[in-house]
Amino acid sequence: AQIFFLEDKELPLVEATVYVKAGIVDIDEDQTGLEALLEEMLIKGGTENYAPEELLTLLDEKAIEITASIDEEVSSLTLSVMRDDFAQGMALMAEILSRPRFDANVLDVIKAQQLAQLQRENEDAQKVAMREAIAWHFNGHPYGRNPMHGLETIPTLAIDDMRKFLEAFFVPANMVVAVSGDISLEDSLS
């Protein structure tokens, strides 16, 4: 992975973002909604060493913020942490990326939330109009996929689907890391 670094000693904070060359365009249409599940499950689903509640409690107690995002063509995992907790934050982020638990009970809850959110979007005329305009404009391209297809596909998605996506795309050759804040280059590399 390539690393970009910028030291900034103004505040005792460090931010690190792992950018991955993978996104919604890399998800098959019959897996519509996988990105929404994966965004939530990476953090809320726990890791091999931490049950979901344990991980969330640890992050909260240490004021470590880790967020996941999967957009059209890029995915990211961002860490925001106090300087003194950087090593622990990076270790947790590495574990989230390399050894996610994807707790089945949490997955069931997130699926239900995503399905409810999609159903609510059909009640908003502005969202429906925008969705249909994008589908028309990008007809035949992944950008033009109808997210409402997720009402059919999300119930069929499984933990294995998330693991396969991570294994296929979340590899060092597809990653760029950006680190900034109150930390030296040497400390950020260790």
Side-chain angles (χ1 to χ4, degrees):
Q2 194 172 16
I3 297 176
F4 294 93
F5 174 78
L6 178 64
E7 189 171 3
D8 179 0
K9 300 237 178 233
E10 188 173 332
L11 294 171
L13 300 173
V14 180
E15 188 164 294
T17 302
V18 176
Y19 294 99
V20 182
K21 189 171 76 171
I24 297 169
V25 297
D26 299 300
I27 297 172
D28 292 334
E29 191 166 6
D30 65 349
Q31 292 187 325
T32 298
L34 181 67
E35 74 287 347
L37 298 180
L38 195 51
E39 280 180 347
E40 296 289 325
M41 287 296 292
L42 276 170
I43 312 301
K44 295 178 182 174
T47 67
E48 285 180 8
N49 292 324
Y50 296 99
E53 312 80 40
E54 292 174 314
L55 179 61
L56 294 174
T57 299
L58 177 62
L59 292 172
D60 189 49
E61 287 174 352
K62 288 289 194 170
I64 298 172
E65 182 181 10
I66 300 177
T67 57
S69 175
I70 300 176
D71 298 320
E72 280 80 7
E73 297 186 20
V74 67
S75 300
S76 63
L77 199 66
T78 300
L79 165 70
S80 183
V81 64
M82 298 295 292
R83 173 190 57 229
D84 294 340
D85 295 322
F86 179 72
Q88 184 177 23
M90 284 300 289
L92 289 170
M93 190 159 78
E95 186 166 336
I96 287 167
L97 282 172
S98 61
R99 294 182 303 282
R101 180 179 293 202
F102 294 136
D103 184 88
N105 293 327
V106 174
L107 178 59
D108 290 341
V109 170
I110 290 173
K111 280 183 175 184
Q113 290 171 341
Q114 291 299 320
L115 292 169
Q117 180 180 339
L118 285 172
Q119 289 166 339
R120 279 192 307 273
E121 286 181 13
N122 266 339
E123 298 168 5
D124 183 332
Q126 184 72 23
K127 286 186 180 183
V128 171
M130 183 59 102
R131 180 183 72 227
E132 294 303 317
I134 290 171
W136 171 80
H137 184 74
F138 291 106
N139 187 25
H141 186 279
Y143 287 1
R145 289 184 190 154
N146 186 344
M148 291 301 124
H149 187 53
L151 291 170
E152 298 167 19
T153 59
I154 288 174
T156 69
L157 296 173
I159 290 169
D160 194 48
D161 296 317
M162 291 183 283
R163 288 198 193 285
K164 285 179 182 175
F165 184 80
L166 286 182
E167 290 168 4
F169 296 104
F170 281 56
V171 296
N174 284 350
M175 294 180 176
V176 172
V177 181
V179 179
S180 64
D182 188 10
I183 192 167
S184 68
L185 178 60
E186 295 75 30
D187 288 342
S188 70
L189 293 174
S190 63

